[in-house]
Amino acid sequence: MARTTFQGPLRSLGGIYQQGPAAVVEITASTTLTPEAHGGRIITVGGSLASAVTLTLATISAATNPVTSVPGQDPNTLNNEGVVYTIWIPTTISTSSLKIGTDGTDRFIGSVISVDTDTSGAVVGFTAGANDDFINFNGTTTGGVAGTWVQIVAVAALKYMVAGNVLGTGTVATPFATS
């Protein structure tokens, strides 16, 4: 039986999985995330960033498979629903900020849990507002302390689902924003 090699995430009957050194992608400059290069991987950002870093999520495509496709998954579909981006901050953002944004039409739905790591240990939940299309980490109140992570999933046209644990200092505030 012939063996097929795929670029990007490996496909199995159980879905998409990724392992090995290519499963972790380190980013230190503003980047547009793509399903092929970043989907299903752990994206790390943090530490002494030279300037503000913006991660721009791919525009969600809910396109249907062409009528010429046979039943089952079409590997050539433009549809990127179900793509998962996991963003982890291993070292506290110390000199700048990290913004995770959409194309301006896609919005976040969901929530994150924020924890005050330096004083009270307070735990607060923040929910994305109807127009929120950015998650902003400043290394202090809105998160970005080492250990912060969010997982973002393209779930439908115009909707990215988000969940995560955001670690901050001082009186924690929502990381969700419109810019």
Side-chain angles (χ1 to χ4, degrees), residues 24-28 42-46:
V24 179
V25 178
E26 183 177 355
I27 294 178
T28 59
I42 297 171
I43 302 159
T44 66
V45 184

Side-chain angles (χ1 to χ4, degrees), residues 51-120:
S51 61
V53 170
T54 299
L55 302 181
T56 304
L57 299 165
T59 299
I60 298 172
S61 172
T64 58
N65 287 336
V67 295
T68 56
S69 294
V70 296
Q73 298 298 317
D74 180 352
N76 298 311
T77 186
L78 298 176
N79 187 309
N80 62 353
E81 291 175 305
V83 172
V84 178
Y85 300 100
T86 302
I87 300 158
W88 176 54
I89 300 172
T91 308
T92 299
I93 296 170
S94 60
T95 57
S96 199
S97 64
L98 169 62
K99 290 183 170 207
I100 305 164
T102 72
D103 62 1
T105 60
D106 296 334
R107 301 287 185 254
F108 290 116
I109 56 173
S111 60
V112 296
I113 300 297
S114 291
V115 180
D116 174 1
T117 62
D118 69 338
T119 55
S120 69

Side-chain angles (χ1 to χ4, degrees), residues 96-174:
S96 199
S97 64
L98 169 62
K99 290 183 170 207
I100 305 164
T102 72
D103 62 1
T105 60
D106 296 334
R107 301 287 185 254
F108 290 116
I109 56 173
S111 60
V112 296
I113 300 297
S114 291
V115 180
D116 174 1
T117 62
D118 69 338
T119 55
S120 69
V123 177
V124 182
F126 293 107
T127 302
N131 295 316
D132 288 339
D133 58 352
F134 273 87
I135 300 170
N136 298 328
F137 297 130
N138 63 8
T140 59
T141 58
T142 62
V145 171
T148 293
W149 65 270
V150 290
Q151 192 165 69
I152 301 168
V153 182
V155 292
L158 306 176
K159 294 181 182 174
Y160 271 111
M161 178 179 67
V162 63
N165 289 329
V166 176
L167 306 180
T169 59
T171 303
V172 293
T174 184

